[in-house]
Amino acid sequence: ARHIVIHCQTVREDQLDRIKRLGVVPSFFVVHTYFWGDRHYEMFLGQDRAERISPLRSALKRGIPFSNHNDTFVTPIDPLLSVWSAVNRRTSGGRILGENQTIPVMDALRSVTSWAAYQACEERIKGSLEPGKLADFVLLEANPLTVAKETIKDIRISATIVGDEVVYGSLD
């Protein structure tokens, strides 16, 4: 098992150094920036602390693999919304909350796939498409690496494949 810090929302830089040193894997709740970012900015944390909610870029600079999760039933389970939030950090009110903590799309995708599998000690069987691994994946109608980053959350799913079976949508 790997030690995990769930939510890891208001972690400081010195704490990230310790997380790295100890080999702990943070699981960030980055969609929190969208759903409650304005309230944290205006009421609960203040500007400086609110802009550091889920400090993804700080973790990335340290080489810390991390996941991004949703907190069902608090937020919808929507990995593309997590990716969008990690890349854009836009609040529901339209504010960019912590632009210096945004990350590239590929790293945001890793945070909901291969790094999430690593966190769960399942990197040998899932998290990436490789021979011998479980082939559970979705086909998207657009490439999140090439669309405008503001539209990532709006990409539709064409099909969901579990093993060798299409369980949602179509391959046509």
Side-chain angles (χ1 to χ4, degrees):
R2 293 189 170 98
H3 294 284
I4 303 164
V5 178
I6 300 296
H7 291 334
C8 204
Q9 283 191 234
T10 55
V11 64
R12 299 183 315 258
E13 295 292 319
D14 64 304
Q15 292 170 323
L16 283 171
D17 291 336
R18 188 169 185 202
I19 284 171
K20 170 71 174 176
R21 189 171 60 254
L22 295 173
V24 173
V25 182
S27 182
F28 294 112
F29 185 18
V30 73
V31 297
H32 209 275
T33 57
Y34 176 73
F35 288 104
W36 297 285
D38 291 316
R39 291 176 57 106
H40 282 302
Y41 185 94
E42 296 163 4
M43 297 170 48
F44 303 131
L45 297 176
Q47 177 181 350
D48 293 340
R49 289 180 62 211
E51 289 191 356
R52 285 197 42 77
I53 290 174
S54 297
L56 306 182
R57 191 180 303 173
S58 291
L60 193 61
K61 285 181 179 178
R62 287 169 171 78
I64 299 171
F66 56 85
S67 68
N68 273 309
H69 69 274
N70 296 114
D71 197 0
T72 189
F73 295 92
V74 175
T75 62
I77 298 173
D78 188 342
L80 282 176
L81 182 60
S82 292
V83 169
W84 175 86
S85 293
V87 171
N88 293 285
R89 295 183 65 96
R90 184 172 300 278
T91 68
S92 59
R95 172 186 286 128
I96 303 299
L97 190 63
E99 186 171 10
N100 63 341
Q101 291 298 335
T102 61
I103 61 172
V105 176
M106 182 56 85
D107 292 317
L109 289 167
R110 287 181 180 116
S111 76
V112 297
T113 57
S114 59
W115 293 344
Y118 172 82
Q119 174 185 303
C121 297
E122 294 183 329
E123 68 271 22
R124 288 185 193 93
I125 60 167
K126 60 173 78 168
S128 60
L129 294 176
E130 299 176 52
K133 288 188 174 185
L134 298 173
D136 301 346
F137 61 96
V138 296
L139 290 176
L140 302 175
E141 289 186 359
N143 183 345
L145 297 170
T146 60
V147 300
K149 68 181 186 174
E150 297 81 12
T151 66
I152 291 170
K153 68 178 177 50
D154 303 317
I155 298 173
R156 296 183 52 139
I157 297 172
S158 298
T160 301
I161 293 90
V162 177
D164 60 355
E165 183 180 339
V166 176
V167 297
Y168 170 82
S170 169
L171 298 178
D172 297 329

Coordinates of all heavy atoms in Angstrom, one line a residue, residues 113-170:
T113 N -5.5 9.0 -14.7 CA -5.3 7.6 -15.3 C -4.1 7.0 -14.7 O -4.2 6.3 -13.6 CB -5.1 7.8 -16.8 OG1 -4.0 8.7 -17.1 CG2 -6.4 8.3 -17.5
S114 N -2.9 7.1 -15.2 CA -1.8 6.4 -14.8 C -1.3 6.7 -13.4 O -0.9 5.8 -12.6 CB -0.6 6.5 -15.8 OG -0.2 7.8 -16.0
W115 N -1.3 8.0 -13.0 CA -0.9 8.3 -11.6 C -2.0 7.9 -10.6 O -1.6 7.5 -9.5 CB -0.7 9.8 -11.5 CG 0.5 10.3 -12.3 CD1 1.5 9.6 -12.8 CD2 0.8 11.7 -12.6 NE1 2.4 10.4 -13.5 CE2 2.0 11.7 -13.4 CE3 0.2 12.9 -12.3 CZ2 2.6 12.8 -13.8 CZ3 0.8 14.0 -12.8 CH2 2.0 14.0 -13.5
A116 N -3.2 7.9 -11.0 CA -4.3 7.3 -10.1 C -4.1 5.8 -9.9 O -4.3 5.3 -8.8 CB -5.7 7.7 -10.7
A117 N -3.7 5.1 -11.0 CA -3.5 3.7 -10.9 C -2.3 3.4 -10.0 O -2.3 2.5 -9.1 CB -3.2 3.1 -12.2
Y118 N -1.2 4.3 -10.1 CA 0.0 4.2 -9.3 C -0.4 4.3 -7.8 O 0.0 3.6 -6.9 CB 1.0 5.2 -9.7 CG 2.2 5.3 -8.7 CD1 3.2 4.4 -8.8 CD2 2.2 6.3 -7.7 CE1 4.3 4.5 -7.9 CE2 3.3 6.4 -6.9 CZ 4.3 5.5 -7.0 OH 5.4 5.5 -6.1
Q119 N -1.2 5.4 -7.5 CA -1.7 5.6 -6.2 C -2.3 4.4 -5.5 O -2.1 4.1 -4.4 CB -2.7 6.8 -6.2 CG -3.3 7.1 -4.8 CD -4.3 8.1 -4.9 OE1 -4.1 9.2 -5.4 NE2 -5.5 7.8 -4.5
A120 N -3.1 3.7 -6.3 CA -3.8 2.5 -5.8 C -3.0 1.2 -5.9 O -3.5 0.1 -5.7 CB -5.1 2.3 -6.6
C121 N -1.7 1.3 -6.3 CA -0.8 0.2 -6.4 C -1.3 -0.8 -7.5 O -1.2 -2.0 -7.5 CB -0.6 -0.6 -5.1 SG 0.2 0.3 -3.8
E122 N -2.0 -0.2 -8.6 CA -2.5 -1.0 -9.7 C -1.9 -0.6 -11.0 O -2.4 -0.9 -12.1 CB -4.0 -0.7 -9.8 CG -4.8 -1.3 -8.5 CD -6.3 -1.2 -8.6 OE1 -6.8 -0.2 -9.3 OE2 -6.9 -2.0 -8.1
E123 N -0.7 0.0 -11.0 CA -0.1 0.5 -12.2 C 0.4 -0.7 -13.1 O 0.6 -0.5 -14.3 CB 1.1 1.4 -11.9 CG 2.3 0.7 -11.2 CD 2.2 0.7 -9.7 OE1 1.1 0.8 -9.1 OE2 3.3 0.5 -9.1
R124 N 0.5 -1.9 -12.6 CA 0.9 -3.0 -13.4 C -0.3 -3.6 -14.3 O -0.1 -4.3 -15.2 CB 1.4 -4.1 -12.6 CG 2.8 -3.8 -12.0 CD 3.4 -5.0 -11.3 NE 4.6 -4.6 -10.5 CZ 4.5 -4.2 -9.2 NH1 3.4 -4.3 -8.6 NH2 5.6 -3.9 -8.6
I125 N -1.6 -3.2 -13.8 CA -2.7 -3.8 -14.5 C -3.6 -2.7 -15.1 O -4.5 -3.1 -15.9 CB -3.6 -4.7 -13.6 CG1 -4.1 -3.9 -12.4 CG2 -2.8 -5.9 -13.2 CD1 -5.2 -4.6 -11.6
K126 N -3.5 -1.4 -14.8 CA -4.3 -0.4 -15.4 C -3.7 0.9 -15.4 O -2.6 1.1 -14.8 CB -5.7 -0.3 -14.7 CG -5.6 0.0 -13.2 CD -7.0 0.2 -12.5 CE -7.7 -1.1 -12.3 NZ -8.9 -0.9 -11.4
G127 N -4.3 1.9 -16.0 CA -3.8 3.3 -16.0 C -3.2 3.7 -17.3 O -3.1 4.9 -17.5
S128 N -2.9 2.8 -18.1 CA -2.4 3.1 -19.5 C -2.7 1.9 -20.4 O -3.0 0.8 -19.9 CB -0.9 3.3 -19.4 OG -0.2 2.2 -19.0
L129 N -2.7 2.2 -21.7 CA -3.0 1.1 -22.6 C -1.7 0.4 -23.1 O -1.0 1.0 -23.8 CB -3.8 1.7 -23.8 CG -5.2 2.3 -23.5 CD1 -5.8 2.9 -24.8 CD2 -6.1 1.2 -23.0
E130 N -1.5 -0.7 -22.5 CA -0.4 -1.5 -22.8 C -0.7 -3.0 -22.8 O -1.7 -3.4 -22.2 CB 0.7 -1.3 -21.7 CG 1.2 0.1 -21.6 CD 2.2 0.3 -20.5 OE1 3.2 -0.5 -20.4 OE2 2.0 1.2 -19.6
P131 N 0.0 -3.8 -23.6 CA -0.3 -5.3 -23.6 C -0.2 -5.8 -22.2 O 0.7 -5.5 -21.4 CB 0.9 -5.8 -24.4 CG 1.3 -4.7 -25.3 CD 1.1 -3.5 -24.5
G132 N -1.2 -6.6 -21.8 CA -1.3 -7.3 -20.5 C -2.0 -6.5 -19.5 O -2.3 -7.0 -18.4
K133 N -2.4 -5.3 -19.8 CA -3.2 -4.5 -18.8 C -4.7 -4.5 -19.2 O -5.0 -4.8 -20.3 CB -2.7 -3.0 -18.9 CG -1.4 -2.8 -18.2 CD -1.1 -1.3 -18.1 CE 0.2 -1.1 -17.3 NZ 0.4 0.4 -17.1
L134 N -5.5 -4.2 -18.2 CA -6.9 -4.1 -18.5 C -7.2 -3.0 -19.5 O -6.6 -1.9 -19.4 CB -7.7 -3.8 -17.2 CG -7.6 -4.9 -16.1 CD1 -8.2 -4.4 -14.8 CD2 -8.2 -6.2 -16.5
A135 N -8.1 -3.3 -20.5 CA -8.4 -2.4 -21.5 C -9.7 -1.7 -21.3 O -10.6 -1.9 -22.1 CB -8.3 -3.0 -22.9
D136 N -9.8 -1.0 -20.2 CA -11.0 -0.3 -19.9 C -10.8 1.2 -20.2 O -9.9 1.8 -19.6 CB -11.4 -0.4 -18.4 CG -11.6 -1.8 -18.0 OD1 -11.8 -2.7 -18.9 OD2 -11.7 -2.1 -16.8
F137 N -11.5 1.8 -21.2 CA -11.2 3.1 -21.6 C -12.5 3.7 -22.3 O -13.4 3.1 -22.5 CB -10.0 3.2 -22.5 CG -10.1 2.4 -23.8 CD1 -10.6 3.0 -25.0 CD2 -9.9 1.1 -23.8 CE1 -10.7 2.3 -26.1 CE2 -10.0 0.3 -25.0 CZ -10.4 1.0 -26.2
V138 N -12.4 5.0 -22.5 CA -13.4 5.7 -23.2 C -12.8 6.3 -24.5 O -11.6 6.6 -24.6 CB -14.0 6.9 -22.4 CG1 -14.8 6.4 -21.2 CG2 -13.0 7.9 -22.1
L139 N -13.7 6.4 -25.5 CA -13.4 7.1 -26.8 C -14.0 8.4 -26.7 O -15.2 8.5 -26.5 CB -13.9 6.3 -28.0 CG -13.2 5.0 -28.3 CD1 -13.9 4.3 -29.5 CD2 -11.7 5.2 -28.7
L140 N -13.3 9.5 -26.9 CA -13.8 10.8 -26.8 C -14.0 11.4 -28.2 O -13.4 11.0 -29.2 CB -12.8 11.7 -26.1 CG -12.4 11.3 -24.7 CD1 -11.3 12.2 -24.2 CD2 -13.6 11.3 -23.8
E141 N -15.0 12.3 -28.3 CA -15.3 12.9 -29.6 C -14.3 13.9 -30.1 O -14.3 14.3 -31.2 CB -16.7 13.5 -29.6 CG -17.8 12.5 -29.5 CD -19.2 13.1 -29.6 OE1 -19.3 14.4 -29.7 OE2 -20.1 12.4 -29.6
A142 N -13.4 14.3 -29.2 CA -12.3 15.3 -29.5 C -11.1 14.9 -28.7 O -11.2 14.3 -27.6 CB -12.8 16.7 -29.2
N143 N -10.0 15.4 -29.1 CA -8.7 15.2 -28.5 C -8.4 16.3 -27.4 O -8.3 17.4 -27.8 CB -7.6 15.1 -29.5 CG -6.2 14.8 -28.9 OD1 -6.0 14.8 -27.7 ND2 -5.3 14.5 -29.8
P144 N -8.4 15.9 -26.1 CA -8.2 17.0 -25.1 C -6.8 17.6 -25.2 O -6.6 18.7 -24.7 CB -8.3 16.2 -23.8 CG -8.3 14.8 -24.1 CD -8.6 14.6 -25.6
L145 N -5.9 17.0 -26.0 CA -4.6 17.6 -26.2 C -4.6 18.7 -27.2 O -3.7 19.5 -27.3 CB -3.6 16.5 -26.5 CG -3.3 15.5 -25.4 CD1 -2.5 14.4 -26.0 CD2 -2.7 16.1 -24.2
T146 N -5.6 18.7 -28.1 CA -5.6 19.6 -29.2 C -6.8 20.7 -29.2 O -6.7 21.7 -29.9 CB -5.6 18.9 -30.5 OG1 -6.8 18.1 -30.6 CG2 -4.4 18.0 -30.7
V147 N -7.8 20.4 -28.4 CA -8.9 21.4 -28.3 C -8.5 22.6 -27.5 O -7.5 22.5 -26.7 CB -10.2 20.7 -27.8 CG1 -10.7 19.6 -28.6 CG2 -10.0 20.3 -26.3
A148 N -9.3 23.6 -27.6 CA -9.0 24.8 -26.7 C -9.2 24.3 -25.3 O -10.2 23.6 -25.0 CB -10.0 25.9 -27.0
K149 N -8.3 24.6 -24.4 CA -8.3 24.1 -23.0 C -9.6 24.5 -22.3 O -10.0 23.7 -21.4 CB -7.0 24.6 -22.3 CG -7.0 26.0 -22.0 CD -5.7 26.4 -21.2 CE -5.7 27.8 -20.8 NZ -4.6 28.2 -20.0
E150 N -10.2 25.6 -22.7 CA -11.5 26.0 -22.0 C -12.6 25.0 -22.3 O -13.6 25.0 -21.7 CB -11.8 27.4 -22.4 CG -10.8 28.4 -22.0 CD -9.6 28.6 -22.9 OE1 -9.6 28.0 -24.1 OE2 -8.6 29.2 -22.5
T151 N -12.5 24.2 -23.4 CA -13.6 23.3 -23.8 C -13.4 21.9 -23.4 O -14.3 21.0 -23.7 CB -13.7 23.4 -25.3 OG1 -12.6 22.8 -26.0 CG2 -14.0 24.8 -25.8
I152 N -12.3 21.5 -22.7 CA -12.1 20.1 -22.3 C -13.3 19.5 -21.6 O -13.6 18.4 -21.9 CB -10.8 20.0 -21.5 CG1 -9.6 20.4 -22.4 CG2 -10.7 18.7 -20.8 CD1 -8.3 20.5 -21.6
K153 N -13.9 20.2 -20.7 CA -15.0 19.7 -19.9 C -16.2 19.3 -20.8 O -17.1 18.6 -20.3 CB -15.4 20.6 -18.7 CG -16.0 21.9 -19.1 CD -16.4 22.7 -17.9 CE -16.9 24.0 -18.2 NZ -18.0 24.1 -19.2
D154 N -16.3 19.9 -21.9 CA -17.4 19.7 -22.8 C -17.3 18.6 -23.8 O -18.2 18.3 -24.6 CB -17.7 21.0 -23.6 CG -18.0 22.2 -22.6 OD1 -18.7 22.0 -21.6 OD2 -17.4 23.3 -22.8
I155 N -16.1 17.9 -23.8 CA -15.9 16.8 -24.8 C -16.8 15.7 -24.4 O -16.9 15.3 -23.3 CB -14.4 16.4 -24.7 CG1 -13.5 17.5 -25.1 CG2 -14.2 15.1 -25.6 CD1 -12.0 17.1 -24.9
R156 N -17.5 15.2 -25.4 CA -18.5 14.1 -25.2 C -17.8 12.8 -25.4 O -16.8 12.6 -26.1 CB -19.6 14.3 -26.2 CG -20.4 15.6 -26.0 CD -21.5 15.7 -26.9 NE -22.3 14.4 -26.8 CZ -23.6 14.3 -26.7 NH1 -24.3 15.4 -26.8 NH2 -24.2 13.2 -26.6
I157 N -18.3 11.8 -24.7 CA -17.8 10.4 -24.8 C -18.6 9.7 -25.9 O -19.8 9.7 -25.9 CB -18.0 9.7 -23.4 CG1 -17.1 10.4 -22.4 CG2 -17.7 8.2 -23.5 CD1 -17.4 9.9 -21.0
S158 N -17.9 9.1 -26.8 CA -18.5 8.4 -27.9 C -18.8 6.9 -27.5 O -19.8 6.4 -27.9 CB -17.6 8.3 -29.1 OG -17.3 9.6 -29.6
A159 N -17.9 6.3 -26.7 CA -18.1 4.9 -26.3 C -17.2 4.7 -25.1 O -16.2 5.3 -24.9 CB -17.6 4.0 -27.5
T160 N -17.7 3.7 -24.3 CA -16.9 3.2 -23.2 C -16.7 1.7 -23.4 O -17.6 1.0 -23.7 CB -17.7 3.4 -21.9 OG1 -18.0 4.8 -21.7 CG2 -16.9 2.8 -20.7
I161 N -15.4 1.3 -23.3 CA -15.1 -0.1 -23.6 C -14.5 -0.7 -22.2 O -13.7 -0.1 -21.6 CB -14.0 -0.2 -24.7 CG1 -14.5 0.2 -26.0 CG2 -13.4 -1.6 -24.7 CD1 -14.4 1.6 -26.4
V162 N -15.1 -1.8 -21.8 CA -14.6 -2.5 -20.7 C -14.2 -3.9 -21.1 O -15.0 -4.6 -21.6 CB -15.7 -2.6 -19.6 CG1 -15.2 -3.4 -18.4 CG2 -16.2 -1.2 -19.1
G163 N -12.9 -4.2 -21.0 CA -12.4 -5.4 -21.5 C -12.4 -5.4 -23.0 O -11.8 -4.5 -23.6
D164 N -13.2 -6.2 -23.6 CA -13.3 -6.2 -25.1 C -14.8 -5.9 -25.5 O -15.2 -6.2 -26.6 CB -12.8 -7.5 -25.7 CG -13.6 -8.7 -25.2 OD1 -14.5 -8.6 -24.3 OD2 -13.4 -9.8 -25.8
E165 N -15.5 -5.3 -24.6 CA -17.0 -5.1 -24.8 C -17.3 -3.6 -24.8 O -16.9 -2.9 -23.8 CB -17.8 -5.8 -23.8 CG -19.3 -5.8 -24.0 CD -20.1 -6.5 -23.0 OE1 -19.5 -7.4 -22.3 OE2 -21.3 -6.2 -22.8
V166 N -18.1 -3.1 -25.8 CA -18.6 -1.8 -25.7 C -19.8 -1.8 -24.8 O -20.8 -2.4 -25.1 CB -19.0 -1.3 -27.1 CG1 -19.6 0.1 -27.1 CG2 -17.8 -1.3 -28.1
V167 N -19.7 -1.0 -23.7 CA -20.8 -1.0 -22.7 C -21.6 0.3 -22.8 O -22.6 0.4 -22.1 CB -20.2 -1.2 -21.3 CG1 -19.6 -2.6 -21.1 CG2 -19.3 -0.2 -20.9
Y168 N -21.1 1.2 -23.5 CA -21.8 2.5 -23.7 C -21.4 3.1 -25.1 O -20.3 3.0 -25.5 CB -21.4 3.5 -22.6 CG -22.0 4.9 -22.9 CD1 -23.3 5.2 -22.6 CD2 -21.2 5.9 -23.5 CE1 -23.8 6.5 -22.9 CE2 -21.7 7.1 -23.8 CZ -23.0 7.5 -23.5 OH -23.5 8.7 -23.8
G169 N -22.4 3.6 -25.8 CA -22.2 4.2 -27.1 C -21.8 3.3 -28.2 O -22.3 2.1 -28.1
S170 N -21.1 3.8 -29.1 CA -20.8 3.0 -30.3 C -19.4 3.3 -30.9 O -18.9 4.4 -30.7 CB -21.8 3.3 -31.4 OG -21.5 2.8 -32.6

